[in-house]
Amino acid sequence: MTQPTISSDGNSLSRSWTLASIGRGLLKRSWVGALIAAILLWLLAGLVTGTLSISFLLANATIAGFLALAGTAQMAVIASGPGNFDLSLPYVVTFGAYVMSAGLVGHDNIPASVALTLLVGIAAGVVNAALIVRLRIPAIVATLATGYILYSFIVAIQSGGFSRVGGLFEAALRLRFFGFSGVLAVAALTLVGVGFLLSRTVFGVQLHALGQNGEAARLAGVRRGWLLLGAFVLSGVLAAWLGVLLAVYQGGVSADLGRSYLLGSVAAVVIGGTRTTGGVTSVIGTAMGALVLTLAQSDLILLQFSIGAQYIIQGSIVLATVCFMAVRSRDRM
Amino acid sequence: MLSHMRRNFMAAGLLLATMLSSGHALAEERFVIGVAVPFQGNGWQKGFLAAAQWAAAELSAKGKKVELTVVDAAGDPQTQIQQLNNLTLQGVDFIILEPLSDTALNGAINNAVSAGIPVLTTALGSVTNPKAIDLQFDYNELGEKYVGYIAERTGGKGNALNIRGLAGNAAEQAIQDAYIRALSKYPEIKIVSEVYGDWNQSVAQQRVASILPTLPTVDIVFSQGVAAFGAAQAFLAAGREVPLQVYGFDGTDVNLLLDLNTKSGYQSVAINTDPGVGGLAVNVAVAKLSGVDVPMKMVAPIPEITLAQLKTDHKGMADSDIVWVKYTYDWTLKNVIGAK
């Protein structure tokens, strides 16, 4: 586990490069736990089925890619401060998928459909941020309200009819190279982009500062309103993009498309080591968290657990992670 | 206090006005039927309403003027209770109800029935109130037809992947039990894996895709409702052939089946609980209002639509549409109500 290449980030440059310090540095990374859990779950699946299958891992990674996008969208909002969650996320995902499939700007004009869908995501983010910043409504209430409004849009657009996107876009997302799917590559690229935005730009640094201590950030000249706008727009765009990918890759849409992504997105963020009170994020961690959740689900199916036991175990995984993180952060104080 | 009384007077006045107007309506054979749907967010419900409206139009053309008053509870039983009470106050002649709860609506049904408005429950399930007329699908018939078709095609053997619906749902369990009962005749059909698709196309697809690499050859997929499309897409995206499975009535399902048939000669049928029950319900309502002796419990048929029928009647249907069967009034009288 102690490969020097993994820990070669900015933080450890100043330290002396002994194997022990690298090991310690690695263990401090919040997502290492999730990575180890993912590997263990993969080995467990191998044990159950009798073969350690790369294609099983990649199939689960493809599905985890969708969840990771939802998780990252949620994470951008969680980062902005204590108690901030985006409950409109599943509705943005579903509405985005419908906008993509409805052919509002012509069924063959895929770039325009994608652009329109992303615009919808931006609009959802702007409305959320406006409610929170201008009217001082708590994020949970504001995003829930936006979600309900979006749901009525979903019902309306659904009766207008929709059809499969298909074509080159679908073929590209379903393209498989040794089991590595096109849609997984697209999801990974998106995550890299978001990771860059959150860790290497002024916006990202200020967002984290705001989440860690709002008052200190304000005194330091950080403008809360604009940052919240950025966080919610980022969340909306990512959710809409997820809607696009799901609609095209899965070949169909339904009104409950996004439903599983509300709890799933929060769970992936938590397991990935992001602090739920804001200020600390990890895109890699969220991706790992999504992979853990997906693999755990598959393992439980392979182990032929009853559905009740499956829910209990999945809930316990999230709960145990939160407890572990709470204990660890108390130790540090 | 005074305002309270005035409001009561106004309500009484309103009630009187609606009673007068509905009495007037009955005189010239005009039936106002309240239709309480649970939510409009899916294709099945869209088909249900379309079928009800079609039946109403057919009857109107034959001289029995039928008007539908549709209310949508947006998934909330509490809203549905209020809507039922409102329909009763409006003085509709009959109420068709897709109940969002098997117990919560009992009081509102009592109100309607004691106001002389018959209530028929259908589609979503029954209620425990014995005063409601009940028109339901026979899941055993669904299981027999569904499993029967697959067993006939495979010679009664093969490895099956079973995609269940929403965990903990009563209808889900009833459908599953019916499948298992029907399967007991074919011990050589083995269920090699079972996943829950939550009656959600996307979830079904992801759950199947995630365990697909670990599965041996899958000859058969059993599923409920919308999962068939999702399962097929999971196999296609993994570059595997789509196993034998029965399809639903949604446009996505029908178009996929037609597409698979054109590409590789793939054969199957569509068997589903039929949204056309909406039309049946309207026919039953009009029969009851016309004085026909309607039994308290009736069974709606489960249609099986062959590939040939789909090709001739439903080629080029929109993905967002759903197939439903048109049941005429006379057919309903003879086959569902059993009138002499």
Side-chain angles (χ1 to χ4, degrees):
Chain A
M1 287 312 300
T2 52
Q3 291 158 345
T5 46
I6 295 177
S7 68
S8 61
D9 55 80
N11 294 341
S12 38
L13 275 182
S14 55
R15 290 195 208 112
S16 59
W17 281 82
T18 65
L19 209 59
S21 77
I22 290 165
R24 246 179 286 126
L26 194 62
L27 278 176
K28 274 187 190 150
R29 313 295 297 181
S30 53
W31 47 265
V32 170
L35 176 68
I36 294 169
I39 292 169
L40 289 177
L41 285 166
W42 180 44
L43 294 176
L44 177 63
L47 201 68
V48 175
T49 57
T51 44
L52 206 54
S53 158
I54 295 281
S55 57
F56 170 77
L57 186 63
L58 287 171
N60 279 276
T62 299
I63 292 151
F66 295 125
L67 183 55
L69 285 177
T72 312
Q74 192 67 264
M75 189 181 74
V77 169
I78 289 175
S80 68
N84 283 1
F85 289 95
D86 187 352
L87 302 189
S88 66
L89 185 135
Y91 303 102
V92 180
V93 173
T94 309
F95 189 55
Y98 271 110
V99 171
M100 186 66 205
S101 312
L104 300 172
V105 282
H107 275 290
D108 302 321
N109 198 344
I110 286 174
S113 291
V114 173
L116 183 67
T117 311
L118 296 183
L119 267 178
V120 165
I122 292 174
V126 170
V127 171
N128 278 332
L131 290 174
I132 293 159
V133 177
R134 289 272 154 195
L135 302 178
R136 295 167 189 266
I137 300 171
I140 287 186
V141 181
T143 53
L144 189 66
T146 315
Y148 276 126
I149 294 169
L150 280 171
Y151 180 72
S152 63
F153 287 171
I154 291 166
V155 173
I157 196 171
Q158 190 185 38
S159 52
F162 55 87
S163 63
R164 194 166 173 167
V165 180
L168 260 183
F169 197 5
E170 183 184 294
L173 292 184
R174 287 195 178 186
L175 193 72
R176 283 175 316 118
F177 190 71
F178 295 108
F180 195 90
S181 62
V183 74
L184 179 56
V186 171
L189 277 177
T190 311
L191 293 180
V192 168
V194 178
F196 179 80
L197 191 66
L198 287 179
S199 64
R200 296 278 183 273
T201 63
V202 175
F203 164 72
V205 173
Q206 290 194 344
L207 186 68
H208 286 101
L210 181 73
Q212 280 161 18
N213 190 331
E215 189 55 24
R218 191 183 65 81
L219 292 172
V222 166
R223 297 170 74 181
R224 175 174 174 269
W226 290 105
L227 280 178
L228 283 181
L229 178 69
F232 278 95
V233 165
L234 179 59
S235 174
V237 167
L238 281 172
W241 179 232
L242 173 59
V244 168
L245 294 181
L246 282 171
V248 178
Y249 179 75
Q250 302 199 328
V253 286
S254 54
D256 48 13
L257 179 79
R259 198 175 56 194
S260 61
Y261 289 105
L262 180 57
L263 290 178
S265 66
V266 177
V269 170
V270 168
I271 291 178
T274 289
R275 207 165 70 185
T276 46
T277 50
V280 179
T281 66
S282 168
V283 173
I284 304 176
T286 302
M288 287 298 154
L291 188 59
V292 167
L293 284 169
T294 313
L295 282 170
Q297 170 92 52
S298 304
D299 280 11
L300 291 171
I301 294 171
L302 292 177
L303 286 165
Q304 304 189 334
F305 272 101
S306 76
I307 188 76
Q310 288 186 27
Y311 286 141
I312 291 173
I313 295 173
Q314 283 170 335
S316 306
I317 293 174
V318 179
L319 194 61
T321 316
V322 177
C323 293
F324 173 70
M325 297 212 331
V327 168
R328 200 173 62 170
S329 65
R330 200 178 50 196
D331 286 349
R332 279 193 191 156
M333 278 177 192
Chain B
M1 193 62 200
L2 194 71
S3 72
H4 213 101
M5 270 173 65
R6 195 186 296 155
R7 212 183 300 151
N8 279 346
F9 270 120
M10 271 172 67
L14 273 176
L15 197 64
L16 201 64
T18 49
M19 273 161 67
L20 283 173
S21 68
S22 68
H24 178 68
L26 269 173
E28 44 173 59
E29 274 254 295
R30 239 183 48 161
F31 305 122
V32 181
I33 301 175
V35 185
V37 299
F39 36 74
Q40 294 185 2
N42 73 36
W44 202 94
Q45 290 299 337
K46 221 166 102 177
F48 182 91
L49 270 186
Q53 271 146 4
W54 175 83
E58 282 285 293
L59 285 160
S60 297
K62 282 184 190 152
K64 286 183 192 283
K65 289 264 173 267
V66 178
E67 268 176 41
L68 302 183
T69 306
V70 181
V71 290
D72 168 11
D76 180 27
Q78 209 57 41
T79 308
Q80 200 166 46
I81 292 172
Q82 285 169 11
Q83 289 176 335
L84 226 55
N85 287 334
N86 281 342
L87 286 172
T88 306
L89 269 180
Q90 280 172 36
V92 295
D93 301 312
F94 195 98
I95 294 174
I96 295 170
L97 168 67
E98 290 187 71
L100 276 164
S101 157
D102 60 347
T103 50
L105 298 148
N106 285 348
I109 291 170
N110 279 340
N111 292 346
V113 172
S114 37
I117 304 168
V119 177
L120 176 137
T121 51
T122 189
L124 271 195
S126 316
V127 290
T128 53
N129 189 334
K131 288 179 191 158
I133 304 167
D134 203 24
L135 170 66
Q136 297 298 338
F137 296 107
D138 180 359
Y139 290 134
N140 281 326
E141 188 191 345
L142 175 69
E144 294 285 332
K145 280 196 170 162
Y146 194 107
V147 174
Y149 174 79
I150 282 176
E152 186 195 311
R153 284 283 310 280
T154 61
K157 54 185 166 223
N159 288 339
L161 167 65
N162 187 24
I163 305 173
R164 300 196 52 171
L166 193 61
N169 181 287
E172 196 276 340
Q173 193 61 48
I175 296 172
Q176 179 66 21
D177 291 345
Y179 285 177
I180 298 297
R181 255 196 301 279
L183 268 172
S184 61
K185 274 184 267 172
Y186 310 101
E188 283 182 78
I189 295 181
K190 287 193 185 63
I191 292 178
V192 292
S193 189
E194 184 171 280
V195 299
Y196 278 78
D198 293 359
W199 278 341
N200 179 325
Q201 185 178 295
S202 172
V203 170
Q205 184 170 349
Q206 295 195 357
R207 300 265 162 87
V208 172
S210 68
I211 59 155
L212 200 51
T214 67
L215 293 179
T217 45
V218 174
D219 313 305
I220 304 163
V221 177
F222 288 110
S223 63
Q224 300 184 2
V226 291
F229 177 85
Q233 295 303 330
F235 278 87
L236 288 172
R240 290 170 73 153
E241 275 185 29
V242 180
L244 174 64
Q245 62 173 347
V246 169
Y247 291 80
F249 286 0
D250 281 291
T252 46
D253 275 47
V254 171
N255 287 331
L256 174 68
L257 176 53
L258 292 175
D259 190 41
L260 287 172
N261 177 261
T262 325
K263 279 187 184 141
S264 65
Y266 182 90
Q267 296 284 326
S268 188
V269 291
I271 301 174
N272 208 9
T273 53
D274 178 14
V277 72
L280 276 183
V282 168
N283 290 338
V284 168
V286 170
K288 174 89 181 167
L289 294 172
S290 310
V292 178
D293 192 15
V294 171
M296 291 307 278
K297 292 222 173 290
M298 286 163 285
V299 175
I302 304 251
E304 174 175 332
I305 304 180
T306 64
L307 198 57
Q309 281 170 289
L310 290 176
K311 267 186 196 163
T312 50
D313 299 344
H314 304 286
K315 202 168 185 106
M317 74 183 284
D319 275 352
S320 47
D321 280 346
I322 191 165
V323 175
W324 49 273
V325 180
K326 293 173 175 168
Y327 301 103
T328 62
Y329 182 66
D330 293 336
W331 191 94
T332 311
L333 274 184
K334 189 160 167 267
N335 298 288
V336 178
I337 300 173
K340 275 130 216 153

